[in-house]
Amino acid sequence: MNSTDKAKRIVSPWWRWPFEALFPDKKFDGQFQNPGSEEVLDFDSVMASVNPITTIASEIAYYPENDQRELFAIFVSGLGQSESESSKRSRRYATTLLTGIANMNNSTFLKKRPIIALINRYLDWINAAFDYVGLSGSPVIENAANLITYAVNNSKTLNLSGDSLGTIFLARALNLAKRNFICRHARVFDFAERRIQEQKWRQRTSQLINVFTFGNGYRKWVLGPNYIMVFIQGDRLSEKYGITPQRAIKQKRDDIKFLIFPRLFPEGSFEAHNMMFTIELLRQTFQKNQIEVGDFVGLYNKLNSSTLKIATPDEVSWPSDMKQYVWNQDSLKSIPSRS
């Protein structure tokens, strides 16, 4: 299915039409996509189904071959990826970590034939800066918040995952979902009731919402959900802009668990932010700890008990096709060995 046919399946509000005409990939912002078939499904249509999360699990999530389909996650990709590229990387994610993945598209400004190539190249970065400080809003934020709200109100387990800019969207979506939950059950100036509802939010989300991020880029995450933050030492974005163990201590956030891999790339290399390397280290960590690959509950328990053994880069049998996912071909020189 080509992009034009996919776009016909999305119902956009009229005020976005000029914007989407200029940047066609933005048609897919906040919409669901099956990374396997690359079929795009309208978010509102999916949410209107009898059981949206069951629909996502059965019709949208991509599962690796012979997977038992016991687990899937909603995944929000990073910066500058077309819907076809994010699907390609999500398939790799699913296959490497043996888990189901359903994309919620974080679309790009990049165009194949931009009018002014130099400007087009930086639009994603400019918009990301606005997103970080909350001065712009992606449909991903509102749609993810609605999905989270549905899960909390209907006692449905929901696993969320994000990479880079996708982590910023997830953090803001969780914050929006919390506000919506409290406002639905308590009046604006009924402070006592709002405190009660906030406690209920924490209790419910601790049982229902699990968040697993790569290259996290946000510092303040709402209390309640279960968090695992994964990155490689030297990832400048995570270390400068994201939540780190040091910042978590200052915020008294012992509920956030960290999985930080040893440095793989030279100082200053942005390749440390590439989750295609992180997932290979993560797969080896499952195996090193004799945890079934994809058993994220077992991984969380090991992290929680401080007994997890972190895989090192020289223990990984790096796939020979890593060159397809690297941003800078020279980065391949840093990989200890490739199978």
Side-chain angles (χ1 to χ4, degrees):
M1 184 183 295
N2 61 40
S3 293
T4 301
D5 291 334
K6 293 176 187 177
K8 292 178 180 178
R9 308 189 65 174
I10 305 302
V11 180
S12 299
W14 64 268
W15 51 267
R16 279 185 63 92
W17 294 350
F19 179 63
E20 292 171 355
L22 284 172
F23 304 101
D25 200 61
K26 286 296 177 180
K27 183 78 173 180
F28 306 110
D29 247 354
Q31 310 302 331
F32 287 120
Q33 184 170 37
N34 181 319
S37 65
E38 298 190 13
E39 179 184 10
V40 177
L41 294 94
D42 183 77
F43 176 86
D44 292 333
S45 297
V46 173
M47 293 303 295
S49 61
V50 176
N51 190 330
I53 293 181
T54 298
T55 299
I56 296 168
S58 60
E59 299 181 20
I60 303 175
Y62 165 76
Y63 299 91
E65 188 176 358
N66 299 322
D67 188 79
Q68 298 300 312
R69 301 195 172 204
E70 297 173 344
L71 176 74
F72 81 92
I74 305 294
F75 177 68
V76 184
S77 64
L79 188 73
Q81 297 173 30
S82 64
E83 45 89 19
S84 58
E85 177 64 20
S86 63
S87 286
K88 174 185 175 183
R89 290 168 66 89
S90 289
R91 290 194 296 271
R92 180 68 163 226
Y93 178 4
T95 302
T96 302
L97 298 181
L98 301 183
T99 187
I101 296 295
N103 279 354
M104 180 175 285
N105 274 308
N106 169 24
S107 299
T108 177
F109 283 96
L110 291 175
K111 300 170 66 175
K112 291 182 179 179
R113 291 181 291 275
I115 297 173
I116 305 176
L118 181 63
I119 295 176
N120 186 246
R121 187 186 311 167
Y122 294 107
L123 283 177
D124 276 320
W125 288 96
I126 294 169
N127 190 66
F130 284 122
D131 280 318
Y132 183 78
V133 297
L135 294 179
S136 66
S138 166
V140 174
I141 298 168
E142 183 176 353
N143 288 358
N146 288 338
L147 183 61
I148 294 163
T149 300
Y150 172 85
V152 172
N153 288 338
N154 293 276
S155 299
K156 302 288 185 180
T157 299
L158 182 64
N159 303 305
L160 301 168
S161 184
D163 172 40
S164 189
L165 180 61
T167 69
I168 296 174
F169 290 158
L170 285 180
R172 292 183 58 196
L174 284 162
N175 190 48
L176 177 59
K178 175 185 173 181
R179 291 202 307 269
N180 291 344
F181 178 86
I182 294 173
C183 290
R184 179 184 178 186
H185 298 93
R187 295 178 180 176
V188 175
F189 296 109
D190 190 345
F191 300 114
E193 182 62 26
R194 292 179 77 86
R195 284 193 293 270
I196 292 172
Q197 293 304 322
E198 182 170 359
Q199 186 60 35
K200 286 185 178 180
W201 159 270
R202 292 184 189 180
Q203 292 173 348
R204 291 191 188 182
T205 53
S206 68
Q207 297 169 349
L208 299 170
I209 308 298
N210 304 303
V211 182
F212 194 91
T213 75
F214 297 91
N216 69 87
Y218 212 69
R219 294 187 181 184
K220 294 183 179 180
W221 296 78
V222 297
L223 287 165
N226 306 298
Y227 297 103
I228 300 180
M229 306 289 180
V230 188
F231 60 94
I232 301 173
Q233 286 183 0
D235 180 347
R236 292 178 294 174
L237 190 147
S238 295
E239 293 173 351
K240 185 172 182 179
Y241 298 105
I243 185 76
T244 60
Q246 296 76 17
R247 294 185 181 115
I249 291 172
K250 289 182 180 179
Q251 296 178 21
K252 299 181 180 179
R253 295 297 303 271
D254 57 358
D255 58 312
I256 298 178
K257 307 305 176 187
F258 292 91
L259 206 171
I260 304 173
F261 293 107
R263 183 183 295 276
L264 174 58
F265 300 101
E267 182 75 28
S269 173
F270 196 67
E271 205 74 62
H273 192 62
N274 189 340
M275 70 169 283
M276 294 295 98
F277 291 94
T278 314
I279 59 175
E280 298 295 340
L281 287 160
L282 188 54
R283 179 184 177 88
Q284 185 61 37
T285 296
F286 276 112
Q287 296 173 338
K288 185 174 183 176
N289 290 271
Q290 298 181 327
I291 305 171
E292 185 178 357
V293 176
D295 180 5
F296 288 92
V297 174
L299 182 75
Y300 184 87
N301 290 337
K302 283 275 189 178
L303 276 171
N304 197 37
S305 62
S306 301
T307 58
L308 188 73
K309 300 175 183 177
I310 307 296
T312 59
D314 59 348
E315 293 174 322
V316 177
S317 296
W318 296 97
S320 58
D321 65 346
M322 288 302 294
K323 61 184 179 181
Q324 297 180 21
Y325 300 93
V326 72
W327 294 328
N328 184 340
Q329 292 296 314
D330 288 341
S331 299
L332 295 171
K333 300 174 183 177
S334 299
I335 301 178
S337 62
R338 279 184 284 163
S339 59

